[in-house]
């Protein structure tokens, strides 16, 4: 006589009961199409898209914060290169991205010399 095989749990079809995902729930249409990207990805998106619009490569990202609608970044750009470098003209841009990382607006908020430091007033 052959030994009986142990009982295996039955698999249910992913389509049984109209459900689609392994946890039995299908993500809503909104969560599938509008996933918030991570901070590193948002930073790259802000830099790449601003560079395309300005025609100048950004120098650095000085801040990045999540907002209700996506992300907001402060990006520093060399607007006019000079010698010595400390006299180059820099600009700070406020960049708004949607949840998917698409640039929706930008605005130059400040111009300054690279060697200038902020002073407390």
């Amino acid at each position: 006589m052959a030994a009986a095989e142990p009982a295996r749990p039955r698999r249910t079809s992913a389509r049984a009961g109209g459900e689609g995902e392994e946890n039995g729930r299908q993500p809503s249409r909104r969560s599938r199409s509008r996933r918030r990207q991570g901070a590193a990805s948002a930073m790259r998106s802000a830099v790449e898209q601003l560079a395309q619009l300005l025609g100048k490569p950004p120098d650095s990202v000085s801040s990045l914060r999540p907002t209700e609608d996506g992300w907001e970044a402060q990006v520093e750009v060399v607007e006019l290169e000079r010698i010595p470098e400390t006299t180059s003209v820099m600009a700070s841009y406020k960049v708004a991205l949607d949840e998917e990382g698409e640039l929706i607006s930008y605005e130059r908020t400040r111009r300054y010399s690279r060697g200038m430091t902020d002073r407390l007033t």
Side-chain angles (χ1 to χ4, degrees):
M1 281 177 91
E5 287 186 23
R8 292 185 183 168
R10 295 180 87 189
R11 286 188 177 179
T12 59
S13 168
R15 297 177 190 226
E19 303 297 328
E21 293 287 314
E22 60 189 55
N23 65 359
R25 292 185 193 175
Q26 217 172 30
S28 70
R29 170 175 259 158
R30 181 181 172 151
S31 67
R32 274 191 306 231
S33 65
R34 303 217 42 168
R35 288 203 172 115
R36 179 185 289 259
Q37 66 180 158
S41 181
M43 192 181 300
R44 280 190 299 275
S45 293
V47 166
E48 291 167 3
Q49 293 176 72
L50 188 62
Q52 287 176 350
L53 291 170
L54 298 178
K56 299 174 186 190
D59 191 61
S60 64
V61 176
S62 56
S63 73
L64 178 72
R65 68 180 188 89
T67 64
E68 193 173 297
D69 300 323
W71 294 92
E72 185 176 283
Q74 202 70 31
V75 182
E76 310 304 317
V77 176
V78 178
E79 291 214 326
L80 181 61
E81 289 191 50
R82 292 189 175 156
I83 298 174
E85 268 189 16
T86 55
T87 61
S88 292
V89 177
M90 304 290 294
S92 186
Y93 286 85
K94 180 171 138 182
V95 178
L97 304 170
D98 66 13
E99 288 179 344
E100 295 160 348
E102 293 299 315
L103 190 142
I104 53 177
S105 70
Y106 75 97
E107 168 187 13
R108 184 172 64 197
T109 58
R110 177 175 169 229
R111 288 185 81 184
Y112 58 98
S113 295
R114 184 188 287 269
M116 190 174 95
T117 59
D118 290 333
R119 295 183 185 160
L120 298 175
T121 55

